[in-house]
Amino acid sequence: MKSQWDDRTAATLRDAVDERVYSSRLLGADSMLVLHGGGNTSVKVRERNIFGDEEEILYVKGSGWDLETIERAGFAPVRLQALLRLSTLRELPDDRMALELRKALTTPSAPDPSVEAILHALIPHRFVDHTHADAVLTVMNTPSGGARIREIYGDTVLVVPYVMPGFKLARECKARLDEGELAGKRGMILMSHGVFSFADSAKESYERMIDLVDAAESYLRSRAAWTVAWEAGKPSPGASSLETCAFRRELSRMAGAPMIVATHTDPQARGFASRPDLETISQQGPATPDHVLRTKRVPLVGGDLRAYAARYEAYFRENAARIARKLTMLDPAPRVILDAGVGMRTCGTTAREARIVEHLYRHTMDLIVRATSLEAYRALQAGDLFDVEYWVLEQAKLGGKKAGKPFQGEIALVTGAASGIGRACAEKLLACGACVVALDRSQAVTELIASPEFLGIRCDVTHRDEVASALDQGIEAFGGLDIAVLNAGIFPESRPIESLSEETWEAAMRVNLDANFSLMRQVHRYLRLAPNGGRAIVVGSKNVRAPGPGAAAYSVSKAALTQLARVAALEWGADGVRVNVVHPNAVFDTGIWTAGIVEERAKSYGMTPDQYKRSNVLKTEITSGDVAAVILDLCGEAFRKVTGAQVPIDGGNERVI
Ligand code: ZN
């Protein structure tokens, strides 16, 4: 562990708060120090208020901000005197504390101050840094962790036994600070939780943190307990896509909402999941109490979800009984699953959340292995973790929880997704909370959208094997398939029947009809396992009901595709899978229409391009986004009892009406 402090960068910083931002980001950038929202930092500065009085203000990390990306606005300015006064109270329930912290802000729009704000205020130094560094947690999370910490740090740090974070921890530390126990110390170790450093300059406080963590790392190295080697091992049979979908369906039912389930089969995931001591080492608890909110207390080992839920309910009942407040049980579904035959699965209501769980648990796996090779891995007892999981402020969040986005936790497949209607569908589905597996012949699809919820795969839908492989990749990334938008299609050059080549005819049938037939055959078994019922949307054409001369191949292929969708609606209804068709017309912002073609067509009808684009009953232009909006509605709540429908999206076409 080395300092990343750069004096030249630091010299450009305006003031102490900027320095605070800079060194907070240095901490946040190293996942061995800080993970996803973990850790917090502060600085004390003097400011003049509107009356001209000088006040001491604590700028402390605001909740909802990550140290890695924090900005000035991420620090909540709290009046120091108010915090110190709060620390003299004998008792302060944490929900009341949160309210008092807000009242002490100098800026009403600031984020909620960290729950450790009072503790930061109590530490007399200007800069205070707090992390849950892996190396320190590894050493302390062993049976003789306390002795080892003393062995490493001697009396250069203050060691505080575990106390629930929040006001209780602040009170515990205040008692020790009042006794002068912090004098001459360069840090503070909170057992089973993390580490604090402090100093009067940003650089010194940061570098003390690095030194403290480096000392633990060196200790582990010297005892051959640092390097973790994950061997590839022999490949396990793995789970089939169908097994993954079935697993996700049961897990989603348990969680009460569709969930994203990411499957990991790399050497670390498989190596850890197939350790002979897995049952023991994985069931101790998380490395630091914070993680319990994301990963739950323990992972599921194997595949028995029901048994896990029963154990979770027992844990809840047992611990809720000793708490006076009325508690609402969280869903009993696991967030981490370790299965020797599969590897690791991580779950969340979004792909982003599942990825955070993955990162946390990857660090935990290394940490457990290191602690095991040092001595043995120990975590906090269940009751202490329960108190964090069911902390009053976390419970309050449940009450005020906003309804999620309409497709949150669902997974949609979109073909022909690199442009036009397909791309508009992918973008709208993402905006509405879905994960999107986007297929296209164009390589551009792989880099279309940078998001953990998006997986772009180059795929020719006329090749069955490419489609099968893309579906497997999508299911490995997200866990299932809820929605399929069958959009990919071609519009061959206009020709009268007598001069229409057989190649053109066959190409239209191959892409517009055969490929969709093959795709439907392949997706049905996954769609029927969608937790809220599968949905397929077929993109037809106005030409189905109002064909145009010269478009025989196109019109016939789309008409046959529509008929296929109608039969699918009949056959798949019993599985709860809905199949509906949209018939767009004259969508000019797709790849097919260039400005030149529009102009040429308009001229042949004696219209301007604008008149031509609006030549429908409503005199309105239809965009890809308009079509995508109809497709999303058809997949949504309002149409949950509709199947086999055909919806025109064409501004009104006289021949269709
Ligand atoms: Zn902490």
Side-chain angles (χ1 to χ4, degrees):
M1 177 102 351
K2 288 204 171 50
S3 169
Q4 303 295 322
W5 185 277
D6 177 32
D7 281 323
R8 268 178 307 179
T9 308
T12 66
L13 302 171
R14 275 184 300 171
D15 59 13
V17 179
D18 269 0
E19 288 176 15
R20 181 66 285 175
V21 171
Y22 171 64
S23 67
S24 300
R25 285 181 164 216
L26 292 183
L27 294 175
D30 189 339
S31 65
M32 297 298 281
L33 290 171
V34 166
L35 283 169
H36 302 288
N40 42 59
T41 56
S42 69
V43 60
K44 301 174 186 79
V45 297
R46 300 191 76 84
E47 283 181 358
R48 283 196 189 283
N49 65 20
I50 196 167
F51 305 106
D53 307 330
E54 200 165 79
E55 286 181 309
E56 228 181 326
I57 307 297
L58 177 84
Y59 279 82
V60 63
K61 195 198 98 163
S63 73
W65 286 80
D66 274 337
L67 291 183
E68 187 176 9
T69 51
I70 199 160
E71 296 163 16
R72 280 182 84 98
F75 285 92
V78 206
R79 291 186 187 87
L80 190 73
Q81 284 311 313
L83 294 174
L84 295 177
R85 186 130 193 238
L86 287 172
S87 77
T88 64
L89 292 171
R90 198 178 290 271
E91 274 189 26
L92 181 60
D94 283 329
D95 47 351
R96 183 64 194 268
M97 176 184 78
L99 191 72
E100 294 297 331
L101 293 182
R102 271 216 81 77
K103 279 161 68 181
L105 286 168
T106 61
T107 309
S109 59
D112 287 331
S114 160
V115 295
E116 307 302 5
I118 297 175
L119 176 52
H120 281 257
L122 285 166
I123 296 173
H125 303 77
R126 278 183 83 204
F127 287 87
V128 177
D129 295 39
H130 167 51
T131 72
H132 305 152
D134 283 13
V136 181
L137 287 171
T138 307
V139 173
M140 63 169 89
N141 288 351
T142 54
S144 37
R148 291 175 189 278
I149 290 291
R150 276 192 296 281
E151 191 182 340
I152 297 171
Y153 302 109
D155 57 4
T156 63
V157 298
L158 174 63
V159 179
V160 182
Y162 179 79
V163 180
M164 165 97 176
F167 188 73
K168 283 202 187 78
L169 176 59
R171 277 294 299 186
E172 175 69 28
C173 294
K174 180 177 163 52
R176 290 157 186 271
L177 266 61
D178 287 351
E179 294 294 317
E181 290 184 27
L182 204 62
K185 309 289 189 207
R186 60 194 174 102
M188 186 162 77
I189 301 284
L190 305 180
M191 292 304 288
S192 307
H193 173 171
V195 51
F196 274 79
S197 65
F198 30 76
D200 288 327
S201 82
K203 182 179 181 178
E204 201 182 343
S205 183
Y206 165 75
E207 292 194 334
R208 280 184 176 179
M209 175 63 72
I210 299 300
D211 289 346
L212 289 168
V213 177
D214 188 58
E217 190 180 312
S218 302
Y219 176 87
L220 288 163
R221 278 185 200 284
S222 70
R223 278 152 185 79
W226 182 253
T227 309
V228 182
W230 297 108
E231 284 160 35
K234 57 175 191 295
S236 55
S240 71
S241 288
L242 208 55
E243 284 164 344
T244 297
C245 291
F247 182 84
R248 169 177 174 258
R249 176 170 151 124
E250 197 185 340
L251 182 118
S252 297
R253 286 192 170 160
M254 206 167 264
M259 295 283 282
I260 301 302
V261 179
T263 304
H264 315 282
T265 57
D266 54 279
Q268 185 194 24
R270 280 219 315 266
F272 189 79
S274 53
R275 276 181 68 116
D277 55 357
L278 184 68
E279 279 287 353
T280 312
I281 60 174
S282 73
Q283 300 300 301
Q284 300 295 316
T288 182
D290 252 19
H291 292 188
V292 77
L293 300 170
R294 306 263 198 195
T295 62
K296 287 231 151 98
R297 192 178 75 82
V298 291
L300 162 62
V301 172
D304 192 342
L305 284 164
R306 275 175 205 207
Y308 183 93
R311 283 195 300 275
Y312 187 84
E313 280 159 25
Y315 154 80
F316 176 78
R317 272 197 310 275
E318 200 174 299
N319 286 287
R322 63 178 168 80
I323 291 175
R325 298 177 279 127
K326 183 165 166 29
L327 299 180
T328 308
M329 193 181 89
L330 302 168
D331 75 75
R335 296 300 187 268
V336 178
I337 296 100
L338 301 166
D339 187 328
V342 180
M344 172 170 72
R345 299 192 202 269
T346 55
C347 319
T349 55
T350 62
R352 187 180 168 273
E353 210 176 284
R355 197 171 278 191
I356 291 175
V357 172
E358 178 199 341
H359 288 167
L360 294 181
Y361 209 73
R362 284 192 185 281
H363 278 265
T364 306
M365 290 191 284
D366 279 349
L367 201 149
I368 289 174
V369 170
R370 287 183 179 125
T372 306
S373 41
L374 182 65
E375 183 183 359
Y377 178 67
R378 285 282 175 283
L380 269 180
Q381 53 166 317
D384 287 324
L385 291 160
F386 181 88
D387 291 345
V388 173
E389 191 175 357
Y390 284 86
W391 190 46
V392 58
L393 292 178
E394 292 300 329
Q395 286 272 297
K397 279 185 203 163
L398 297 178
K401 205 173 192 175
K402 283 181 293 186
K405 294 176 176 177
F407 297 110
Q408 183 168 299
E410 296 203 302
I411 302 122
L413 175 83
V414 180
T415 67
S419 61
I421 294 168
R423 181 175 178 163
C425 284
E427 286 169 352
K428 273 202 186 347
L429 282 160
L430 284 170
C432 290
C435 289
V436 174
V437 181
L439 311 189
D440 203 285
R441 274 192 307 184
S442 160
Q443 184 69 29
V445 76
T446 59
E447 284 168 22
L448 196 61
I449 297 162
S451 158
E453 327 287 321
F454 179 85
L455 177 64
I457 303 170
R458 204 214 66 80
C459 171
D460 183 338
V461 290
T462 62
H463 291 149
R464 199 180 54 197
D465 295 348
E466 285 186 24
V467 171
S469 149
L471 287 169
D472 287 341
Q473 287 176 62
I475 289 165
E476 183 172 321
F478 302 129
L481 186 64
D482 302 276
I483 294 169
V485 180
L486 281 61
N487 164 68
I490 55 167
F491 189 87
E493 197 190 352
S494 225
R495 280 286 159 93
I497 292 167
E498 60 276 20
S499 60
L500 178 63
S501 75
E502 287 188 12
E503 289 75 36
T504 305
W505 173 267
E506 279 161 12
M509 294 304 156
R510 198 164 56 241
V511 179
N512 295 349
L513 181 60
D514 301 351
N516 282 316
F517 164 67
S518 168
L519 188 62
M520 284 165 95
R521 282 181 43 152
Q522 294 191 66
V523 295
H524 169 252
R525 59 202 183 123
Y526 303 135
L527 289 175
R528 65 194 286 271
L529 292 171
N532 284 350
R535 283 135 284 166
I537 298 289
V538 167
V539 178
S541 165
K542 177 230 46 169
N543 280 31
V544 171
R545 292 173 69 181
Y554 182 74
S555 303
V556 171
S557 65
K558 288 288 193 179
L561 174 62
T562 302
Q563 196 73 344
L564 178 66
R566 295 173 72 200
V567 176
L570 292 169
E571 292 182 358
W572 296 0
D575 297 322
V577 180
R578 304 194 282 108
V579 185
N580 292 295
V581 184
V582 292
H583 290 314
N585 186 35
V587 183
F588 293 103
D589 63 352
T590 62
I592 301 167
W593 296 91
T594 62
I597 296 177
V598 172
E599 210 163 310
E600 192 185 303
R601 285 294 194 88
K603 207 184 267 175
S604 74
Y605 287 98
M607 296 182 196
T608 66
D610 190 57
Q611 283 171 329
Y612 178 64
K613 283 184 181 176
R614 296 167 189 271
S615 57
N616 53 48
V617 172
L618 293 171
K619 300 280 177 262
T620 186
E621 191 182 334
I622 310 296
T623 64
S624 295
D626 296 328
V627 180
V630 173
I631 288 173
L632 260 73
D633 273 355
L634 281 168
C635 293
E637 247 325 88
F639 285 84
R640 70 186 186 282
K641 296 183 179 177
V642 176
T643 192
Q646 298 179 46
V647 180
I649 163 70
D650 54 10
N653 180 288
E654 283 168 3
R655 289 171 57 213
V656 171
I657 293 172

